[in-house]
Amino acid sequence: MFCSIGGFFARQGYLHFKTKKEKKLRCLSQTEGKIVSIHSMRMQRRQAYFPTYEYGVNGEEISVEIHFGITVCQYQRGDQVKIWYYPNDPKSSYIDGYKEDTVSSVGCLILGSIAV
């Protein structure tokens, strides 16, 4: 039981860092986008913020909701942001300068590895 739960959390931490690195290597084209909404969720004593951004590539409007929240609201609705995207799959993108909270991913990776 500890192995399966620990493995799950260690995998989540690992996948976060792997995905982040892959996007930095693949997403080499850039465009301008804007923050269209920011969802928030109360988590114990902190508030987590999940921005949604939109940008256009080849006449197609793409909307992306970030599922890994941050505890400091870095953007406001309507803010213009620089978007890096993968030309072969424009939906694969990230916001230039987005400060992700990596503490929880590191915690998952370490504690999950210990549990295994």
Side-chain angles (χ1 to χ4, degrees), residues 2 5-7 9-10 105-116:
F2 282 111
I5 293 172
F9 282 106
S105 293
V106 170
C108 284
L109 190 59
I110 292 171
L111 294 175
S113 298
I114 290 171
V116 169

Side-chain angles (χ1 to χ4, degrees), residues 73-85:
C73 191
Q74 191 173 347
Y75 302 106
Q76 298 298 320
R77 187 172 184 218
D79 284 353
Q80 295 293 318
V81 290
K82 189 184 302 182
I83 307 294
W84 289 90
Y85 67 93

Side-chain angles (χ1 to χ4, degrees), residues 1 5-6 8-9 18 21 23-24 26 31 34 39 43 50-52 56 58 60 66 77 80 84 96 99 103 105 116:
M1 182 173 187
I5 293 172
F8 172 77
F9 282 106
K18 180 181 177 206
K21 182 179 178 183
K23 280 188 178 183
K24 295 274 185 182
R26 290 185 341 161
T31 188
K34 76 174 182 178
H39 301 283
M43 301 175 73
F50 304 88
T52 299
N58 300 327
E60 179 184 0
I66 297 176
R77 187 172 184 218
Q80 295 293 318
W84 289 90
D96 188 26
K99 305 275 191 256
V103 174
S105 293
V116 169

Side-chain angles (χ1 to χ4, degrees), residues 26-43:
R26 290 185 341 161
C27 298
L28 301 176
S29 296
Q30 94 180 46
T31 188
E32 289 293 317
K34 76 174 182 178
I35 304 296
V36 292
S37 67
I38 299 174
H39 301 283
S40 64
M41 180 172 39
R42 186 92 176 139
M43 301 175 73

